[in-house]
């Protein structure tokens, strides 16, 4: 019997605020049985340290990733059971010879979560200054799915032009904008909504948020629905 060829999703984490979004997406991919190739930019390590207290290290990436995935959006350790990381592969941001830097390395697509405006500009202009941007450029040229979860506000005209350029190039531009109709009661619910929309755009099944079913007030508790 022929061994199944591993075809992962590349998850790129840029330096924008929103590292809980990335953690929720990675947990969702692994829960769905998807492989993950992870690229963490240098700038995102500073954000991760600031938002979670975790110092992400190349030499200890598995331990640091496990700690990251176990934390909730409020930074509380042990919120989630750490998934099995056997199907996660990590590539250093400076490794331009990494597998995903080539179009012949098979992946399903790439999810940039969160995407900073600097990352958006670099991908739109084809700069490929680090592995994250290089993989995004490869994803576009190979006509694979690229989801860009931009996290910034307000957006200036130049960034808007870059986002339009990405859309025209075939990327899915997905602002990290949580909705409230799903009945959020905790910050994690808002994070999971955005992560779920990213997975929706990738075509990956999940149960991260309550979907709209066309009934007003369906997300509110029964005792308050008539208030």
């Amino acid at each position: 019997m022929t061994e199944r060829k591993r075809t992962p999703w590349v998850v790129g984490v840029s330096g924008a605020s929103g590292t809980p979004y990335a953690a929720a997406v990675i947990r969702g991919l692994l829960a769905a049985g998807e492989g993950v190739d992870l690229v963490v930019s240098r700038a995102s390590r500073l954000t991760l340290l600031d938002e979670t207290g975790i110092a992400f290290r190349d030499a200890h990436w598995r331990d640091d990733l496990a700690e990251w995935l176990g934390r909730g959006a409020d930074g509380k350790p042990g919120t989630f059971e750490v998934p099995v990381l056997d199907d996660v592969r990590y590539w250093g941001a400076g490794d331009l010879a990494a597998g995903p830097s080539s179009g012949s390395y098979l992946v399903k697509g790439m999810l940039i979560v969160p995407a900073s405006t600097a990352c958006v500009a670099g991908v739109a202009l084809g700069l490929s200054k680090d592995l994250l941007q290089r993989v995004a450029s490869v994803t576009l040229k190979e006509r694979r799915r690229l989801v860009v979860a931009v996290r910034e506000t307000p957006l200036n005209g130049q960034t808007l032009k870059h986002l339009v350029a990405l859309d025209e190039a075939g990327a899915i531009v997905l602002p990290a904008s949580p909705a409230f109709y799903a009945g959020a009661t905790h910050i994690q619910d808002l994070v999971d909504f955005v992560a779920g929309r990213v997975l929706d755009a990738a075509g990956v099944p999940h149960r991260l948020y309550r979907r709209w079913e066309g009934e007003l007030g369906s997300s509110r508790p029964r005792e308050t629905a008539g208030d």
Side-chain angles (χ1 to χ4, degrees), residues 141-158:
K141 82 178 182 68
E142 296 294 329
R143 302 297 190 266
R144 295 168 182 158
R145 192 167 302 192
L146 174 63
V147 181
V148 180
V150 60
R151 213 300 317 159
E152 184 59 89
T153 189
L155 298 172
N156 64 31
Q158 199 60 49

Side-chain angles (χ1 to χ4, degrees), residues 14-61:
S14 82
S17 176
T19 55
Y21 292 132
V25 166
I26 295 169
R27 286 193 298 264
L29 288 171
L30 295 177
E34 301 284 348
V36 173
D37 274 26
L38 179 63
V39 180
V40 179
S41 77
R42 289 189 175 91
S44 69
R45 295 169 190 242
L46 297 175
T47 308
L48 183 62
L49 181 62
D50 186 51
E51 293 183 345
T52 69
I54 297 171
F56 197 90
R57 304 158 295 175
D58 285 347
H60 303 280
W61 70 266

